[in-house]
Amino acid sequence: HRGVCGVNFSKFGVVGPNSVSNQVASLSGCLVTHRHLSCFKKKIKVGDVCEDPSVHEFGMKVQSLGPTLHTVYCSVNSTDPFIYDIARQQGYLTFFGEEFCYNGSPWVVQDNVFQLNANFAPHKVFCRLAQHAFP
């Protein structure tokens, strides 16, 4: 169909221990760490910049603090690195598909690390199905 495009991450690789860290890297170019292994061992807040050269997140700022004790670091120069936000700013319609209802789940990127405001999100079908009991 004319005007429709998609993305294929043909050289995608695993960069972290789980889905959250891998999706964050792919969809934003940011880095995820477990809070107890983070640059900051004490109180941490969004906007803090890591100044410890011995860790991977050196020179990066805290973008968000996730509900499962993970910390997201992004480039200090980026204001909104999430690919979905960039695509919308450029006038594209966006689609994010999951095969389950993830509303309220702490184990996903969407709405935990970055607000996902995709134009089309079929996970809502699974949420509706989960509300109904089947014999």
Side-chain angles (χ1 to χ4, degrees), residues 6-81:
V7 177
N8 179 12
F9 295 102
S10 61
K11 295 184 180 183
F12 175 77
V14 175
V15 297
N18 56 42
S19 295
V20 171
S21 56
N22 290 310
Q23 286 183 11
V24 166
S26 296
L27 299 174
S28 69
C30 297
L31 172 74
V32 175
T33 66
H34 291 284
R35 200 154 305 144
H36 69 283
L37 301 174
S38 175
C39 175
F40 301 97
K41 302 299 181 204
K42 297 186 181 193
K43 190 93 170 145
I44 183 173
K45 64 182 184 308
V46 172
D48 287 349
V49 176
C50 177
E51 296 179 359
D52 180 353
S54 69
V55 295
H56 293 295
E57 59 271 23
F58 172 65
M60 300 176 87
K61 71 177 176 184
V62 175
Q63 181 78 20
S64 68
L65 302 169
T68 57
L69 298 179
H70 62 267
T71 304
V72 178
Y73 290 88
C74 298
S75 166
V76 293
N77 299 324
S78 69
T79 54
D80 194 359

Side-chain angles (χ1 to χ4, degrees), residues 87-104:
R88 267 193 310 282
Q89 290 167 7
Q90 297 296 316
Y92 290 95
L93 293 176
T94 56
F95 173 93
F96 189 89
E98 283 284 14
E99 66 279 5
F100 63 95
C101 174
Y102 59 76
N103 288 352

